[in-house]
Amino acid sequence: MQPTLLRTPKSGVKPCSTGSAAFLFLNNKLLLERRKRYIMPIVKQLTVLIENKPGALADICSILALKKINIFAFSVADTIDTALLRIVVSDPTSAKAILKEAGHTVLENEVLMVDMPNRPGALAESTRQLSKARINIEYAYGSVGVEEGKGIGILWVSDLKKASEIVGEWSKSVALSH
């Protein structure tokens, strides 16, 4: 389900109170800066081990929301009794400390944050560029973009730096052609 988003003059996009997702896109400086350079940013991703039960995701999102930490993208992979929550947030250092303090196991790694148009074929085009460069995508997930018509892809790849440059150049060519 896609959250209902509101545009605000100062902070970009944020969810309506009727939206059920925990997307809070109040700080889009990172997104604006990376578009100028056409290099996709390598960002910190947190992986949190949570119980596979009703309310577990809501509890994590609430803890972060209380501390004004925005969730840019998330993915949940379930097992029998536990789940792996992968999140990209506005302040990974604070989020990691807060979640550990709350008793959660938290791992940190770097992933590629890809800004792409929300249209048929965009994901195919961007991932084809990585394939041509022999870069393997270990896993991926997506999110609603800050701007209307945009999406965000989170990719864990075999060569982050090279992938950042390749997908950045693809993004530049897409922006120039539209």
Side-chain angles (χ1 to χ4, degrees):
M1 177 163 90
Q2 188 173 0
T4 307
L5 301 174
L6 291 175
R7 291 212 174 269
T8 59
K10 244 184 168 178
S11 59
V13 179
K14 68 179 183 178
C16 280
S17 58
T18 58
S20 61
F23 296 107
L24 301 175
F25 294 104
L26 300 178
N27 182 356
N28 61 6
K29 290 180 184 175
L30 173 67
L31 297 174
L32 295 175
E33 179 60 28
R34 69 187 165 127
R35 281 196 193 102
K36 290 179 193 172
R37 295 180 291 144
Y38 291 104
I39 295 175
M40 295 293 130
I42 296 169
V43 298
K44 299 288 184 190
Q45 171 191 264
L46 302 179
T47 301
V48 186
L49 184 64
I50 61 174
E51 289 184 79
N52 191 358
K53 68 175 190 175
L57 179 59
D59 291 344
I60 298 284
C61 294
S62 296
I63 289 169
L64 296 176
L66 285 172
K67 298 295 184 176
K68 307 289 187 220
I69 296 174
N70 301 334
I71 299 172
F72 295 124
F74 75 95
S75 170
V76 179
D78 68 323
T79 64
I80 295 171
D81 295 327
T82 60
L84 291 177
L85 168 64
R86 291 184 172 122
I87 53 176
V88 175
V89 297
S90 59
D91 185 351
T93 303
S94 296
K96 183 177 180 181
I98 291 163
L99 293 171
K100 280 188 167 195
E101 186 178 301
H104 295 284
T105 300
V106 183
L107 304 173
E108 181 180 303
N109 68 307
E110 293 183 326
V111 293
L112 184 63
M113 182 185 279
V114 179
D115 187 28
M116 65 183 78
N118 186 2
R119 62 166 172 75
L123 182 58
E125 292 168 14
S126 63
T127 57
R128 178 67 56 211
Q129 298 305 310
L130 297 175
S131 173
K132 286 178 183 176
R134 312 276 309 147
I135 296 173
N136 189 43
I137 300 169
E138 305 292 335
Y139 64 79
Y141 54 98
S143 182
V144 177
V146 173
E147 297 176 18
E148 188 175 323
K150 296 283 184 182
I152 296 172
I154 304 298
L155 307 175
W156 188 39
V157 297
S158 57
D159 187 336
L160 281 170
K161 186 176 179 191
K162 186 175 177 183
S164 174
E165 294 168 2
I166 289 168
V167 177
E169 284 302 312
W170 168 80
S171 179
K172 179 181 179 180
S173 70
V174 169
L176 294 175
S177 68
H178 289 96

